[in-house]
Amino acid sequence: MPVKNRFAELLPEITAWRRDLHENPEILFDTHRTSALVADKLREFGCDEVVTGIGRTGVVGVIKGKTDTAGKVIGLRADMDALPIHEATGLPYASKTPGAMHACGHDGHTAMLLGAAKYLSETRNFDGQVVVIFQPAEEGGGGGREMCADGMMDRWNISEVYGMHNWPGRPVGSFSIRPGAFFAATDQFEIVIEGKGGHAAKPQETVDSTLVAAHVITALQSIASRNADPVDQVVVSVTAIESSSKAFNVIAQRVHMKGTVRTMSKDMRDLAEARLKAISTGTAGAFGAVAEVSYHRGYPCMVNHVDQTAFAADVARSVAGDCTDAPLIMGGEDFAFMLEERPGAYILVGNGDGASVHHPEYNFNDDAIPTGCSWWAGIVEQRMPAA
Ligand SMILES: [Zn+2]
Ligand SMILES: [Zn+2]
């Protein structure tokens, strides 16, 4: 089964949906126009059930096969949200909303899953049910977590879930995947160093919070280099630092830092959090300052299930002829929450050369649509063959 002919026929229509979504980006849970558009399309296709408001602005559609003897239900998930980035592509269908942009290709993901839903509604050449899942707020809001918290998996009795992301820098329409840990757990921290401010010419009368912050930042790099097993993955990045002093001649009372920790296992996540707190408070204490640390756990590590990954790779090979091994990715992905509830797999589809995701010149590549849609259809038709 290479690319399905029907998707070549539908390409202009799916491309038009994609560009319309691109022109009208919506951020986090505010995907009101997008969700309404998706729900309207699903009803127009003749889905057996369309439900809005799952996970606030998420949409779920159900498509029943010609038969349903095995009682299997496959969930296919796309994300719908854009990013708070000001678009710089100069495209004729560039964002009409200043400061918002589909810079991660979720416009393409939504359009491809709509295309697959249209095809599956037309053909129904499978034994079981398909649940198409359109989630808001992948970019930091945990829309996937919210849809799960609304009881989506049990309500529709979903047995397996699959997800896909476009990937710039890989040939258009090529696939890559890996079993096990794939995307990192993404945590955030804030550290406030409280010293004693004063005149910059009289440092002996102060506790210099800026000097303490510098030592803390340096010492935090020993988590990766000295605490972690060198064969495991961990990133600790201090990304923002702000001093309470705005002057050349004032030693700051306080320094505020922010950053992120990325890990690929629960043990490493626990270790990084514990060491970050101990290093910050201990280092500050050694200088006579006080460090207050707040640590927020974000998306968990996204783990592909072994059997479903092998199956997803087989389908990818049947569509594109090949499916390569993907590297570990230290970015986060809130499909992780769905894979914690049900077995499934997440695959990357090549977006060709061009700007990377989250760049103001990024654009989803419409040439990937036929292969992406064919993979969705293949997941359904090969996992639940018609009786
Ligand atoms: Zn993104
Ligand atoms: Zn994304």
Side-chain angles (χ1 to χ4, degrees), residues 17 19 48 64 74 85 115 118 130 139 145 191 199 246 285 309 313 319 348 351:
W17 300 337
R19 295 182 179 192
D48 297 279
K64 293 180 178 166
I74 290 186
I85 293 176
K118 177 162 179 154
V130 176
E139 299 285 2
R145 177 180 50 212
I191 303 169
H199 199 296
K246 304 290 174 231
T309 302
V319 173
L348 305 180
N351 200 56

Side-chain angles (χ1 to χ4, degrees), residues 321-355:
D322 194 17
C323 182
T324 55
D325 295 335
L328 289 168
I329 291 166
M330 298 312 281
E333 169 52 75
D334 94 338
F335 189 58
F337 291 105
M338 296 192 193
L339 287 180
E340 283 191 337
E341 295 216 354
R342 292 295 188 271
Y346 188 81
I347 200 164
L348 305 180
V349 61
N351 200 56
D353 291 331

